[in-house]
Amino acid sequence: MKIVVDADACPKNALLLCQKLGNIYHVPVWTVASFNHSIVSDYHIVVGSASQEADIKVVNVTEPGDIVITQDWGLAAMVLGKQARALSPAGREFSPDKIDFLLEEREAKAKLRRGGGRTKGPRKRTMEDDRSFEVSLQRLLTINKGGETMSLALRVYFDFCCPYCYLAWGFMKKFKETTAIQDEWITWEIHPEIGPAGDYIQNVVANVNLEERKINLNRLGEPVQITPGDHSFVPNTRLALEAVQFATEAGKMHEWIDAVYTANFVEGKNIGDQEVLIAIAVKIGLNSDGLSQALNTGRYTQVLLAHDRECMEKKLEWVPTIYAGETKVLEGALTYAVFSDKLRSLKREM
């Protein structure tokens, strides 16, 4: 399976989401565009600017089971004929039973324009279009050629400073040793008020009992041999969370999250310190200069803000919160037994 993008008319955000999810699901992303477009892609095909040249190339490289991203209904019809799936950049899947109607509608509009009439142009792309596209593409990526689910797809809303999120990370790693899971981790900064130097939990949470907290957290971590209760320092996580997007675009989301959790909870480093983050980037093979530039310019600040709005709209109250599709399945303080039982139940339902 591969993702094939008709990149001549694909919105930038949709292309970035293809690359992001392609990295997460280990599915190659092919882009096809004329030489008039500047596209950065590992599998990029440049064609001439003649009419239909890009469409013909997309059809030629498409194989059964591929996912084609296009807003051209005619091209969608052709790739559906090759037993591929077709998705618009707004998240609308083209289906064989409706494609004839869409083509008739397109021809009617074209006839109107040829006669001097006017039709509405495309509306401005919205954040909701991005989210709809991401959800739809993620759904298709969990389906193989025979239409059977390949793996359970989960989204986890988290923050690096939360010990319960660290537990969920450990639980997920253990569960994935025996079960096919595709897990995407969505950043949510829960303590933006903490300064770069960080603080301690007793100053962040009122009336916390440190000894009781340590015992309870470490007991939860026993099945996966982690001890989050030994750590009472609360860092500012904004930069570490912004860097998740940078790492995701480089295909190293999981490596980054694992390394940051280790630095915070095991090594006791202040992950609010940019120098600490750059050292982590070097350790896992990320472009440290590129990360430094991204953090200094706030390239991904808007991503954090968008996630915060999303969490508010969903009325989330706890981290971690875990979704399967559009259904909330787990949240807050969890035991490994509860975590694994729920995921096994979801897997059986697939």
Side-chain angles (χ1 to χ4, degrees), residues 34-311:
S34 71
F35 56 78
N36 296 320
H37 295 79
S38 177
I39 305 291
V40 178
S41 171
D42 291 338
Y43 302 93
H44 183 53
I45 301 173
V46 178
V47 298
S49 57
S51 175
Q52 307 301 313
E53 194 166 345
D55 290 0
I56 293 170
K57 179 59 71 173
V58 169
V59 173
N60 287 342
V61 302
T62 297
E63 299 173 307
D66 286 349
I67 301 170
V68 177
I69 311 302
T70 182
Q71 53 190 359
D72 185 316
W73 299 344
L75 177 56
M78 287 188 283
V79 298
L80 287 175
K82 297 190 71 173
Q83 287 75 55
R85 304 182 82 120
L87 186 67
S88 81
R92 178 184 187 181
E93 184 178 3
F94 297 97
S95 61
D97 60 328
K98 294 182 180 179
I99 196 69
D100 288 342
F101 169 77
L102 293 175
L103 292 173
E104 289 174 6
E105 182 181 356
R106 183 181 72 167
E107 179 57 30
K109 289 181 177 179
K111 184 176 181 180
L112 176 63
R113 288 192 296 270
R114 288 195 296 270
R118 298 180 62 183
T119 58
K120 289 184 178 180
R123 62 178 177 80
K124 185 177 180 181
R125 188 173 181 85
T126 67
M127 188 178 296
E128 182 57 34
D129 291 328
D130 290 341
R131 186 62 188 151
S132 177
F133 176 72
E134 182 175 14
V135 169
S136 296
L137 180 56
Q138 188 173 46
R139 176 179 58 80
L140 293 185
L141 285 168
T142 62
I143 300 175
N144 65 13
K145 295 178 184 179
E148 296 179 355
T149 303
M150 293 168 57
S151 59
L152 179 61
L154 302 172
R155 298 197 316 282
V156 186
Y157 294 84
F158 82 107
D159 193 348
F160 284 120
C161 68
C162 170
Y164 299 104
C165 295
Y166 179 43
L167 286 165
W169 177 257
F171 294 169
M172 192 74 77
K173 287 177 66 178
K174 180 177 177 64
F175 194 77
K176 287 164 67 175
E177 291 174 0
T178 57
T179 308
I181 297 290
Q182 298 290 348
D183 52 321
E184 180 187 7
W185 292 69
I186 311 296
T187 52
W188 185 19
E189 186 182 16
I190 61 173
H191 285 298
E193 75 281 2
I194 294 176
D199 207 336
Y200 288 89
I201 190 66
Q202 57 266 37
N203 299 324
V204 177
V205 178
N207 302 318
V208 62
N209 184 316
L210 293 178
E211 187 60 27
E212 183 178 308
R213 174 182 181 272
K214 176 178 179 178
I215 293 171
N216 289 338
L217 284 170
N218 288 350
R219 183 183 296 119
L220 291 173
E222 285 177 0
V224 291
Q225 299 179 321
I226 61 177
T227 55
D230 293 350
H231 189 76
S232 60
F233 180 73
V234 184
N236 177 289
T237 57
R238 180 178 62 83
L239 295 179
L241 293 172
E242 288 187 8
V244 171
Q245 183 67 23
F246 182 87
T248 298
E249 292 176 4
K252 289 181 176 287
M253 179 189 73
H254 289 86
E255 291 93 329
W256 176 258
I257 294 175
D258 196 58
V260 173
Y261 271 134
T262 298
N264 184 38
F265 284 99
V266 179
E267 299 170 354
K269 296 179 179 178
N270 178 11
I271 60 171
D273 184 337
Q274 185 168 326
E275 291 186 4
V276 171
L277 300 180
I278 297 303
I280 293 173
V282 171
K283 184 177 180 179
I284 67 172
L286 276 178
N287 183 331
S288 57
D289 290 338
L291 176 59
S292 180
Q293 182 182 34
L295 297 180
N296 289 331
T297 58
R299 183 188 305 170
Y300 300 113
T301 300
Q302 291 303 315
V303 174
L304 277 191
L305 294 175
H307 288 174
D308 184 68
R309 288 192 295 270
E310 180 182 344
C311 292

